[in-house]
Amino acid sequence: MSSQKIDRRVKYTKMVLRQSLLELMKSSPIEKITVKNICELADINRGTFYSHYSNPRALLEQIENDLFNDLKATLDRYLTDADLTSGSYEMIIEIIKCIEMNSDICKIILGEHGDHDYLKRIVNLAYEKFRESWIVNMRVRDDKLTEYFFNFISSGSIGVIQLWIQSGMVDPPEILASMIDKINSQGLKMFFDNKNENVTETLLKRENKCYNQAD
Amino acid sequence: MSSQKIDRRVKYTKMVLRQSLLELMKSSPIEKITVKNICELADINRGTFYSHYSNPRALLEQIENDLFNDLKATLDRYLTDADLTSGSYEMIIEIIKCIEMNSDICKIILGEHGDHDYLKRIVNLAYEKFRESWIVNMRVRDDKLTEYFFNFISSGSIGVIQLWIQSGMVDPPEILASMIDKINSQGLKMFFDNKNENVTETLLKRENKCYNQAD
DNA sequence: CCTCTTTCCGACAACGTGTTGATTATTGTA
DNA sequence: TACAATAATCAACACGTTGTCGGAAAGAGG
């Protein structure tokens, strides 16, 4: 209803501004891109830019949020409880396929000059669900060690996905997914069996020591 | 010999400029820090800045390189072949202790507004040695899967160390080291035993497919 | 004490920013 | 088709940062 009444001129302006920013981001980071740069490439008056966005970063955030919502919607369709308790395999595949489908934008946004924390946002979107599910269903402890462990897994996954993107997205997603999934499940076994109590105890002792220290 | 003849004035100027930049980086990223900002805080004439550095980034790189060389020197003292074949535990401890010793600078450089790739440089410095050692001594394959695996491990380690820094460097380094080390060794077993031939084969098949594709 | 070096100071043109008001062009609709 | 509303254009503005001068002042080191 309401979204149909958008003026064609506005639609066009926003479109070329987006395209131009993405084009510029292929060769330089967002910090070095000026409003003037974007407008010259888009052949849009500089004043017109300011009537839509306050600065280049705001424009980028618009693009990122739109893509993020797309990915989120697709993920939500696949993230059932069954998948969560069985393993991360399906989900990793799904995330990677989402990225593959939007490869033109993703190569830029998640690439060399892209936002370093953006992929983190996407992957953590998934891992937060995982974490909750595991803590409830598998009676995993919700302590500092667990936090470190989840951080390791998600950071590792992000790194691998980034490498995959940087090498042109040609390798099959199954390879990444199977590797991440194996480290996931192996890691879980490794960290939350009864042989590791001592590690947590050491952690707690050190913490108490810190609290008790003077100054 | 030659390094002793540095003018006291130069020494002072560089020192206050460094301190000022680091102070400013506590509250804002390097991109938003101007030469004027630094010089006003340092109470140094703006022109004088340009006679030492070309821009704020160049000053930051100086600071980073100096610290990097310190860390590298310390690491080299501990990185013997014995350590490399036995495991990553000692080395992780050593890296973390290095960071702890320079915590004032590291908290800023490796922290929220710091260089995201800098910690990567440090950790990879170590992992490259590891990789070589493993490939030679343990007859690990040097293929794409291995590259992905090493990337997972180093990214994961970086993530954990970052979390440790962000939460104030209070947790004992042993916790991190033991976790990273376990995932390391478990992961190695998992990936390079004879049960995983099929994964590599799949990867190779896909690659050939890509090369053969017409476009 | 004297010379050499560094820093300071004021000035400069160049550039991007964000905003303004007046003008022109395009749109959706009556 | 004609009209009113809306959007884009254009020129101009004050402002702040940049990088670079040449000359004056201050400090270093021998």
Side-chain angles (χ1 to χ4, degrees):
Chain A
M1 297 288 167
S2 58
S3 63
Q4 289 206 341
K5 294 191 176 182
I6 296 177
D7 196 311
R8 293 177 210 159
R9 288 169 295 180
V10 177
K11 226 188 272 180
Y12 173 78
T13 300
K14 289 193 172 184
M15 196 194 66
V16 279
L17 287 178
R18 279 177 180 233
Q19 285 179 344
S20 301
L21 176 59
L22 287 173
E23 185 59 36
L24 290 170
M25 283 186 70
K26 285 181 185 173
S27 53
S28 67
I30 183 71
E31 297 87 16
K32 299 214 164 183
I33 297 174
T34 67
V35 175
K36 207 186 173 197
N37 289 154
I38 301 170
C39 293
E40 274 176 357
L41 184 59
D43 192 29
I44 291 289
N45 190 274
R46 202 163 53 83
T48 307
F49 179 95
Y50 288 106
S51 64
H52 294 295
Y53 312 99
S54 56
N55 52 53
R57 203 160 207 114
L59 169 55
L60 175 60
E61 275 167 19
Q62 274 276 343
I63 300 173
E64 285 183 346
N65 286 338
D66 287 357
L67 179 62
F68 185 78
N69 289 332
D70 271 10
L71 294 180
K72 189 168 154 52
T74 314
L75 274 185
D76 279 340
R77 246 174 282 138
Y78 285 85
L79 284 180
T80 64
D81 279 337
D83 290 331
L84 288 173
T85 48
S86 67
S88 55
Y89 187 83
E90 303 293 337
M91 195 182 54
I92 300 289
I93 293 278
E94 214 47 51
I95 290 182
I96 294 174
K97 280 185 181 168
C98 279
I99 295 174
E100 243 176 355
M101 282 200 306
N102 300 279
S103 63
D104 21 332
I105 303 181
C106 284
K107 268 181 190 166
I108 299 166
I109 291 187
L110 305 176
E112 198 188 347
H113 300 295
D115 188 339
H116 286 257
D117 288 330
Y118 184 63
L119 186 55
K120 200 169 193 171
R121 243 173 92 197
I122 296 170
V123 173
N124 280 357
L125 179 75
Y127 270 106
E128 275 312 306
K129 290 200 176 192
F130 252 94
R131 186 176 167 160
E132 286 167 27
S133 165
W134 272 335
I135 286 171
V136 174
N137 295 327
M138 300 173 75
R139 295 185 182 183
V140 158
R141 273 191 302 273
D142 186 19
D143 57 7
K144 202 163 251 178
L145 189 63
T146 311
E147 199 183 341
Y148 276 120
F149 175 72
F150 270 92
N151 195 286
F152 188 102
I153 298 295
S154 76
S155 298
S157 307
I158 289 164
V160 168
I161 295 175
Q162 259 166 350
L163 177 60
W164 173 74
I165 292 169
Q166 275 163 23
S167 47
M169 298 185 177
V170 290
D171 300 322
E174 290 80 15
I175 299 291
L176 306 188
S178 113
M179 189 177 79
I180 294 172
D181 186 58
K182 273 181 193 165
I183 295 187
N184 255 337
S185 52
Q186 288 287 330
L188 267 182
K189 274 185 205 158
M190 192 180 356
F191 273 93
F192 303 111
D193 62 5
N194 47 10
K195 290 175 188 171
N196 271 292
E197 292 292 343
N198 58 329
V199 177
T200 308
E201 276 167 20
T202 312
L203 185 61
L204 290 172
K205 272 180 198 162
R206 166 82 165 239
E207 273 176 0
N208 291 333
K209 213 191 285 175
C210 289
Y211 292 137
N212 296 334
Q213 270 175 356
D215 190 7
Chain B
M1 298 289 165
S2 58
S3 62
Q4 289 206 342
K5 294 192 176 181
I6 295 178
D7 196 312
R8 292 178 211 158
R9 287 169 295 181
V10 177
K11 226 188 274 180
Y12 173 78
T13 300
K14 289 192 172 184
M15 196 195 67
V16 278
L17 287 178
R18 279 175 180 236
Q19 284 178 343
S20 301
L21 176 58
L22 287 173
E23 184 59 36
L24 291 169
M25 283 186 69
K26 285 182 185 172
S27 51
S28 67
I30 183 70
E31 297 88 15
K32 299 215 164 182
I33 297 173
T34 66
V35 175
K36 207 186 173 197
N37 288 155
I38 301 170
C39 292
E40 275 176 356
L41 185 59
D43 194 28
I44 292 288
N45 189 274
R46 202 163 53 82
T48 308
F49 179 95
Y50 288 107
S51 64
H52 294 292
Y53 313 99
S54 57
N55 52 54
R57 226 205 159 90
L59 169 55
L60 176 59
E61 275 167 19
Q62 274 277 343
I63 301 173
E64 284 182 346
N65 287 338
D66 287 356
L67 180 61
F68 185 78
N69 289 332
D70 272 7
L71 293 181
K72 188 167 153 55
T74 313
L75 274 185
D76 279 341
R77 247 175 280 139
Y78 285 85
L79 285 181
T80 65
D81 279 337
D83 290 331
L84 288 172
T85 47
S86 67
S88 56
Y89 187 83
E90 303 294 336
M91 194 182 55
I92 299 289
I93 292 276
E94 213 46 53
I95 290 182
I96 293 173
K97 279 185 181 167
C98 279
I99 295 174
E100 244 177 352
M101 281 199 308
N102 300 280
S103 62
D104 23 332
I105 303 181
C106 284
K107 269 181 191 167
I108 298 166
I109 291 187
L110 305 176
E112 198 188 347
H113 299 295
D115 188 340
H116 287 257
D117 287 330
Y118 184 63
L119 186 55
K120 200 170 193 169
R121 243 173 93 199
I122 297 170
V123 173
N124 280 358
L125 179 75
Y127 270 105
E128 276 312 307
K129 291 201 175 192
F130 252 94
R131 186 176 166 159
E132 287 168 26
S133 164
W134 273 335
I135 287 171
V136 174
N137 296 325
M138 301 172 75
R139 295 184 182 183
V140 160
R141 273 191 303 274
D142 188 18
D143 57 7
K144 201 162 252 180
L145 187 64
T146 312
E147 197 183 342
Y148 276 120
F149 175 73
F150 270 92
N151 194 286
F152 187 103
I153 298 296
S154 76
S155 298
S157 306
I158 289 163
V160 168
I161 294 175
Q162 259 167 350
L163 177 59
W164 172 75
I165 291 168
Q166 276 162 24
S167 48
M169 298 185 177
V170 290
D171 300 322
E174 291 80 15
I175 299 290
L176 306 187
S178 114
M179 188 177 79
I180 293 172
D181 186 58
K182 273 182 192 165
I183 296 186
N184 256 338
S185 52
Q186 286 288 330
L188 268 180
K189 274 184 205 158
M190 190 177 4
F191 273 92
F192 304 110
D193 61 6
N194 47 11
K195 291 176 188 171
N196 271 291
E197 292 291 344
N198 58 331
V199 177
T200 307
E201 276 166 20
T202 312
L203 185 61
L204 290 173
K205 273 180 197 163
R206 166 82 163 240
E207 273 175 0
N208 291 333
K209 213 190 287 175
C210 290
Y211 292 137
N212 296 335
Q213 270 175 357
D215 183 5

